[in-house]
Amino acid sequence: MGHILQAFHDTPFSTPYASIQPVNLRTLVNLPTYFAAAYPTTGYQPGEVDTTTILGFRVEIRPTATSYTYHFGDGTTLGPTQDPGGPYPDGAIRHTYQRTDTYPVRVDTTYSGQFRVNGGQWIDIPDTVTIQGTTSQLQVLEAVTRLH
């Protein structure tokens, strides 16, 4: 099991980032902003399978996301939660900013996983790895109305 755990920790996991709505890393004060965990194509994201050889045996490792922690950049966080978030209007991960500023936001993912040897049964890995997400700079603006 020690070799399996080492292979799990050596897996090049996909580094999550926060998908944000409204888009283009801009939102408004007092407007709910929606967040979701997203993954680039590099690295192994939840459900993908990494294959390695340990002591002559083919070992497959399949990571799963067990929790997410959202850092909103204004001193507040949400999580850990099992909810990966989602888009407007149904996404459950929302945050409303109270002041204009540029905020460093990110989502961290905690991975667990399963492994199998030579195509056998999937077995749970008794460990987790938390990957810190990529930080994005979210600009929070204020809309000003004018009468003409």
Side-chain angles (χ1 to χ4, degrees):
M1 183 54 76
H3 292 291
I4 300 293
L5 290 174
Q6 186 62 49
F8 174 65
H9 284 275
D10 290 344
T11 298
F13 295 101
S14 185
T15 302
Y17 65 91
S19 173
I20 303 168
Q21 282 186 321
V23 297
N24 298 325
L25 295 175
R26 297 172 85 183
T27 190
L28 295 173
V29 168
N30 299 322
L31 176 74
T33 303
Y34 289 74
F35 295 83
Y39 300 91
T41 57
T42 57
Y44 291 91
Q45 57 184 280
E48 293 184 337
V49 176
D50 182 19
T51 302
T52 189
T53 302
I54 299 175
L55 302 173
F57 295 97
R58 180 176 180 228
V59 176
E60 295 172 278
I61 296 174
R62 180 172 60 187
T64 56
T66 57
S67 69
Y68 307 89
T69 302
Y70 294 84
H71 302 268
F72 300 117
D74 61 354
T76 59
T77 59
L78 187 149
T81 176
Q82 292 180 332
D83 193 325
Y88 171 85
D90 299 321
I93 308 301
R94 300 173 216 160
H95 184 68
T96 301
Y97 291 90
Q98 304 300 312
R99 294 189 336 252
T100 61
D101 205 341
T102 299
Y103 296 98
V105 299
R106 74 172 200 266
V107 58
D108 300 339
T109 300
T110 298
Y111 288 98
S112 63
Q114 296 179 311
F115 76 96
R116 68 180 176 183
V117 179
N118 289 339
Q121 296 274 97
W122 287 104
I123 300 168
D124 290 338
I125 295 173
D127 203 358
T128 62
V129 173
T130 299
I131 303 296
Q132 181 174 310
T134 301
T135 301
S136 298
Q137 300 298 319
L138 178 64
Q139 188 176 16
V140 179
L141 305 168
E142 183 174 23
V144 179
T145 59
R146 293 185 187 151
L147 292 174
H148 290 276

